[in-house]
Amino acid sequence: MKIDLETTQKEHVCPACGALTKRIHDYRMQTIKDLPFQLKHCYLVLKKRRYACSCGKRFYEDYAFLPRYFQRTSRLTAFIAATLHDTASVSSIAERCNVSVSTVNRILDTISFHRPTLSRTISIDEFKGNAGGEKYQCILVDSVKHAVLDILPSRSQNFLTSYFRDIPKKERYRIEFFVCDMWRPYTDLAKTFFPNATIIIDKYHFIRQTTWAIENVRKRLQKTMPANLRKYYKRSRSLILTRYDKLKDDNKKACDLMLLYNDDLRLAHYLKEWFYRICQNPKYSQQRKEFFDWISTAEQSKLPEFEKCAETYRHWSKEILNAFKYAHITNGPTEGFNNKIKVLKRTSYGIRNFEHLRTRILLTTR
């Protein structure tokens, strides 16, 4: 679709001498890209005037909707910048707006985000970004306000140390809660740079240790089963992993029948159910007592899988108890943002430029 445009003639200021002139020197036709209209590419065919001044200067009139030397309108540029908030690929945005991919990337380069001010809670996690020559990138989230604070190009301890060191001490000492997964470098950094913060291990990361333990028990026992029984236990593993109280009556009977096969499996299922009940107990004092009772029982269970799990829990007991005590603070918002990052990466078939990846993530999560 093409729309012919012509502006009203008026006096213009000469950029050379500053005098006013209305004398027209000549005209030229310029085709300008504009917003798509009813799913069609739209062009403005502008009849541009060139004015002549008494000093000999020739100049084109100014247009509020068209920047100098541009062949697209200002509102098209603003529309492209707004579309970058979606989890769409740069190529699809370029095709929709009738511009090249490099044009969209140039607009993306004009958008920048400065390091934000930290609030009282900070969550950290890594995600597989494959950008800037690094396999993993880091995301910082305010888990209380559910907002992405920053995206870091690397999860290495050297980089994180230099990054947190640049944050003013007054701001770092204001952090009350530091949420992370069970990776020791994160907790070491928290103790060094956020000494007033309570370190919390996200529930998902320590609860899945119990899930992995009972899964490994099942896999170990399956190796001793006949072929048909082995297939049945593998296909019906959800009956063992699901909370027993949430199973329907028929599934409860099937689960009871599966547990009759072996004492180790029954004990593993009992430990799993017990730990899940501990996690759902609203009273912290009871949780603390039962947590250490569970560890002692698991250590004496003679199940290698749960002995290893108990060792992990005892090693991280302080941080896990903090998770019980402050149950409302988790890494859930961070995992949600990570899922959105995966969608962005999948629709874009990967983003190799880290600055482009960081800007797109910060745009799509706001």
Side-chain angles (χ1 to χ4, degrees), residues 50-301:
R50 190 162 60 148
Y51 290 87
C53 183
S54 57
C55 68
K57 177 68 176 177
R58 309 287 187 267
F59 61 94
Y60 285 103
E61 60 183 339
D62 295 326
Y63 303 96
F65 63 90
L66 181 65
R68 193 178 182 184
Y69 304 125
F70 273 54
Q71 293 184 355
R72 65 178 184 274
T73 59
S74 299
R75 64 181 183 178
L76 178 58
T77 303
F79 178 74
I80 294 172
T83 311
L84 288 169
H85 286 80
D86 302 332
T87 55
S89 64
V90 170
S91 58
S92 64
I93 295 174
E95 183 179 359
R96 178 184 177 186
C97 299
N98 192 25
V99 296
S100 65
V101 172
S102 58
T103 298
V104 179
N105 283 328
R106 283 197 299 271
I107 295 173
L108 186 61
D109 289 334
T110 63
I111 304 172
S112 61
F113 292 91
H114 301 291
R115 186 189 64 79
T117 302
L118 301 181
S119 57
R120 69 187 191 95
T121 305
I122 183 173
S123 299
I124 187 171
D125 197 10
E126 70 274 358
F127 63 93
K128 194 175 180 181
N130 287 321
E134 292 283 343
K135 185 175 181 180
Y136 290 98
Q137 278 71 47
C138 265
I139 180 172
L140 300 181
V141 175
D142 186 335
S143 56
V144 174
K145 297 181 179 179
H146 293 197
V148 177
L149 299 174
D150 205 354
I151 304 296
L152 309 183
S154 175
R155 68 167 182 174
S156 66
Q157 196 165 10
N158 290 336
F159 177 83
L160 294 176
T161 300
S162 61
Y163 178 85
F164 289 133
R165 188 186 292 120
D166 292 338
I167 300 175
K169 182 183 292 186
K170 184 178 179 181
E171 188 176 339
R172 288 191 280 108
Y173 281 32
R174 197 167 56 232
I175 299 296
E176 298 178 15
F177 300 101
F178 186 92
V179 189
C180 61
D181 56 20
M182 302 173 75
W183 197 47
R184 185 54 67 183
Y186 286 158
T187 57
D188 292 341
L189 288 168
K191 293 174 183 177
T192 302
F193 296 102
F194 308 103
N196 297 330
T198 301
I199 302 175
I200 299 174
I201 295 298
D202 182 55
K203 284 185 177 180
Y204 166 77
H205 291 90
F206 67 78
I207 291 178
R208 68 177 180 178
Q209 298 288 330
T210 301
T211 306
W212 287 345
I214 190 172
E215 269 286 86
N216 290 332
V217 171
R218 178 187 61 81
K219 292 176 183 178
R220 172 167 60 83
L221 295 176
Q222 278 182 187
K223 296 178 181 179
T224 64
M225 297 178 182
N228 58 342
L229 198 58
R230 182 168 61 247
K231 290 180 181 179
Y232 175 78
Y233 270 74
K234 182 177 180 181
R235 293 170 182 171
S236 305
R237 63 184 181 274
S238 61
L239 297 177
I240 298 176
L241 296 177
T242 306
R243 288 292 307 272
Y244 188 77
D245 294 339
K246 293 184 178 181
L247 292 175
K248 296 181 180 179
D249 292 338
D250 293 342
N251 290 334
K252 284 183 179 179
K253 293 179 181 178
C255 181
D256 293 338
L257 191 61
M258 292 175 66
L259 296 178
L260 287 174
Y261 181 82
N262 187 274
D263 293 339
D264 287 355
L265 190 59
R266 281 198 302 277
L267 179 56
H269 188 266
Y270 166 76
L271 290 171
K272 185 263 295 185
E273 288 293 317
W274 183 11
F275 189 79
Y276 284 177
R277 286 196 300 271
I278 294 172
C279 294
Q280 292 187 336
N281 193 329
K283 295 184 178 179
Y284 172 69
S285 58
Q286 294 179 2
Q287 281 182 313
R288 179 184 176 87
K289 179 181 181 302
E290 288 192 30
F291 176 67
F292 286 111
D293 290 344
W294 188 95
I295 292 177
S296 300
T297 305
E299 288 174 339
Q300 300 170 12
S301 64

Side-chain angles (χ1 to χ4, degrees), residues 11-27:
E11 282 189 330
H12 278 69
V13 178
C14 175
C17 64
L20 294 175
T21 180
K22 290 184 64 175
R23 185 160 63 92
I24 298 173
H25 178 66
D26 59 8
Y27 290 90

